[in-house]
Amino acid sequence: MRNKNIKFPVLILIMLTSLLACTKQEYTIPDPVSQLTNDCIKRTIGPSIVSLPLEFAYAMALPKINGKLVSAQVEASIAGASGTFLEHRSFYTNSSGVDVPVTIGTPSTTVDKLTKVTFSVDTNASTLRYYYVIPEAARGQSVSFTFTANSSDGKTATYKMGPYAISKMSITKNLPVSNGANAFISIEDMAVYNAASAATNAGKIDLVYLYRATPTTFTHALVSPGADAAYLPGVTLPSGVNRSTKLRKVFGLQDRNLSNLQYGIYVDDIDFQQLDMVDMPNYALGLKAESGVWVETTDKKYRAYIFVNSINAAGTAVISIMRYTL
Amino acid sequence: MAKYLKITLSILMISVIIISCKKDSPVDEDGLLITFRQECFVSNFELLGSDFVTVRAATAVIDTVAQTINVTVNPGTDLKNVYPQFTLATDCKLDPKVVGKTDLSNLTSPKIYTVVSGNRKIRKPYTLNIKF
């Protein structure tokens, strides 16, 4: 009898719980936008490198009955380098997948940290791209952005983005090198010199580019001036060029920035920090197109990644350098 | 009828017990299965540089009688930073293990790798001779 009295309420409770659990949740239509609204996405992926742009898409809209867009502005926590701008064109993608611009005002003006566009057309929705060229002052720092839209009804919408860590890396792309001519590479200057210029920058020359058709495994090579003479056949080094730089060959590491936006791989600060260069040689022979070389300078001041963009059997090549200061 | 059913069930139960009590297959100190195989040889050898591209100038010559591997490498190969790769007979293992970057630069004292058979009873040392 006692058991029966307990079992019945428990059964009812379970049934009620089941019914509640199975209640269908009705979909409710979200409230339509009733005032000025904005949104933002960061379009750039990969590490943020000084001199390269960060790209954002800033969208703003308000109901037509409320008025129109008046202006849009972006304030960066660190003033952008030359080339920073907010698009004065709003893009839409047509049926062919092509981004089509619609001009909405005059080109942006940038004063210190603030970049502004004033609308000259009657529109209540727009998406503007913002390109922030990372300045030298931001190296190793964090940068954040405040996007603001103003409408004719006196309303303001604000969207904060960041902070974004700015890499310590430096980049130089598409440096032509040639056997016996522009063959002397300086990591410190991230530049290529000929013999005469190398003599005046002797303390900065880390590598020599050379090409030898034989042996067939030699071909395109980056050799440290301090390497064994066997790896510098027929090379007369300018006076004082004698640094011994450690090198480590890599294949299949096509950094997106170094390869002119061809691949989806990124070399980042952490790669340089964790790089093991112990016992590495001071020469790299048989370099191929799209191969690379990790570099550590004699004074251990810099580590770098040299990417071979292209090679030519006549003894020339194009290289790009990513450098990290230790 | 019930008698036969009981006998059948009893046999089935005893069989299950016997199977479940069978000793597990033995494993060695590396957790690898010790098998009955006696084959013990190197069937292929590769040598990769720091960029994981081969540094061999020609196919490695493996002598399973003399137990030698003779490899000619490209001029300028940095033998301090290479990755040897051995292909062994089924169930064999290598001693010492190749765990990563290896220094093979001492050409006067060739490195010796021992192949251990699947039953772990046969050990054959192979001398790795490298030349430019």
Side-chain angles (χ1 to χ4, degrees):
Chain A
M1 186 65 186
R2 195 179 158 194
N3 274 349
K4 257 188 184 176
N5 287 344
I6 296 168
K7 274 179 186 171
F8 186 70
V10 168
L11 190 68
I12 295 293
L13 194 67
I14 290 168
M15 282 174 71
L16 279 172
T17 310
S18 307
L19 282 171
L20 282 172
C22 294
T23 304
K24 192 182 174 189
Q25 286 191 331
E26 291 295 332
Y27 173 75
T28 52
I29 299 166
D31 286 335
V33 174
S34 56
Q35 58 184 354
L36 179 63
T37 311
N38 63 357
D39 200 354
C40 189
I41 57 166
K42 180 170 172 276
R43 285 171 59 88
T44 310
I45 56 171
S48 306
I49 302 169
V50 171
S51 79
L52 297 184
L54 288 179
E55 185 187 346
F56 298 87
Y58 179 52
M60 63 216 95
L62 75 163
K64 198 173 181 181
I65 53 164
N66 287 23
K68 60 180 183 177
L69 293 168
V70 173
S71 66
Q73 67 181 49
V74 190
E75 185 172 10
S77 59
I78 299 171
S82 173
T84 295
F85 72 102
L86 181 62
E87 270 283 8
H88 64 290
R89 297 172 301 168
S90 183
F91 287 83
Y92 71 91
T93 308
N94 69 10
S95 56
S96 306
V98 178
D99 284 351
V100 181
V102 177
T103 302
I104 52 88
T106 51
S108 65
T109 54
T110 300
V111 178
D112 194 25
K113 299 172 182 176
L114 199 70
T115 305
K116 188 173 182 179
V117 157
T118 304
F119 285 72
S120 60
V121 296
D122 187 354
T123 182
N124 62 319
S126 182
T127 300
L128 304 181
R129 305 269 169 91
Y130 174 58
Y131 298 89
Y132 174 78
V133 180
I134 302 169
E136 184 60 44
R139 188 185 297 280
Q141 312 280 315
S142 287
V143 63
S144 52
F145 304 91
T146 305
F147 292 79
T148 307
N150 297 301
S151 58
S152 60
D153 61 350
K155 294 279 193 302
T156 298
T158 301
Y159 204 101
K160 288 189 182 297
M161 295 291 281
Y164 302 104
I166 306 300
S167 166
K168 284 172 71 181
M169 297 185 294
S170 303
I171 187 169
T172 302
K173 294 199 281 184
N174 304 320
L175 295 169
V177 288
S178 56
N179 182 51
N182 287 327
F184 299 91
I185 301 163
S186 167
I187 299 299
E188 185 175 332
D189 292 351
M190 296 183 77
V192 178
Y193 297 114
N194 59 22
S197 302
T200 57
N201 292 284
K204 296 179 182 176
I205 303 301
D206 298 292
L207 296 166
V208 182
Y209 165 79
L210 62 160
Y211 175 82
R212 298 289 180 272
T214 52
T216 52
T217 50
F218 198 104
T219 60
H220 302 267
L222 290 174
V223 182
S224 166
D228 191 294
Y231 304 115
L232 290 162
V235 175
T236 305
L237 294 169
S239 173
V241 174
N242 56 11
R243 301 187 96 188
S244 182
T245 311
K246 284 183 177 175
L247 298 166
R248 179 177 176 173
K249 283 172 73 177
V250 189
F251 199 72
L253 181 55
Q254 299 115 318
D255 176 81
R256 181 170 176 79
N257 292 309
L258 296 176
S259 65
N260 299 313
L261 310 180
Q262 286 189 78
Y263 302 95
I265 306 170
Y266 291 95
V267 170
D268 209 339
D269 288 17
I270 195 166
D271 296 310
F272 291 105
Q273 289 159 10
Q274 296 181 350
L275 189 63
D276 178 12
M277 293 297 280
V278 176
D279 287 336
M280 285 299 153
N282 52 8
Y283 58 89
L285 313 182
L287 296 173
K288 295 176 174 62
E290 301 202 339
S291 65
V293 180
W294 292 109
V295 180
E296 185 178 87
T297 57
T298 312
D299 53 11
K300 292 189 166 48
K301 194 176 172 188
Y302 300 108
R303 281 182 175 170
Y305 180 65
I306 298 180
F307 179 72
V308 182
N309 295 91
S310 63
I311 54 170
N312 186 306
T316 63
V318 176
I319 61 168
S320 295
I321 305 173
M322 189 90 85
R323 187 190 69 185
Y324 181 84
T325 307
L326 291 169
Chain B
M1 187 64 185
K3 190 182 171 187
Y4 290 121
L5 192 67
K6 275 181 186 171
I7 291 168
T8 312
L9 278 171
S10 302
I11 292 170
L12 195 68
M13 279 181 71
I14 290 164
S15 306
V16 169
I17 289 163
I18 288 169
I19 289 167
S20 65
C21 292
K22 193 182 173 185
K23 197 184 169 188
D24 287 337
S25 299
V27 290
D28 64 10
E29 67 280 6
D30 295 320
L32 299 171
L33 199 63
I34 298 173
T35 65
F36 56 89
R37 292 182 191 276
Q38 297 182 14
E39 295 89 347
C40 188
F41 59 89
V42 175
S43 59
N44 193 28
F45 179 78
E46 178 61 279
L47 195 60
L48 304 177
S50 63
D51 53 358
F52 302 110
V53 175
T54 186
V55 293
R56 284 184 297 102
T59 306
V61 179
I62 302 164
D63 189 332
T64 54
V65 178
Q67 292 168 203
T68 56
I69 303 169
N70 298 324
V71 198
T72 305
V73 296
N74 295 325
T77 297
D78 171 35
L79 289 173
K80 276 193 168 184
N81 300 289
V82 286
Y83 297 85
Q85 288 184 339
F86 295 81
T87 306
L88 309 176
T90 308
D91 295 344
C92 288
K93 69 172 190 176
L94 201 65
D95 182 26
K97 298 181 189 76
V98 178
V99 292
K101 196 174 77 175
T102 307
D103 184 354
L104 300 176
S105 59
N106 189 353
L107 300 182
T108 54
S109 176
K111 205 152 187 168
I112 294 171
Y113 287 92
T114 303
V115 183
V116 185
S117 65
N119 63 8
R120 304 291 182 258
K121 288 177 181 169
I122 303 166
R123 296 175 66 88
K124 288 191 176 176
Y126 276 70
T127 305
L128 180 57
N129 299 309
I130 298 176
K131 66 172 182 176
F132 285 98

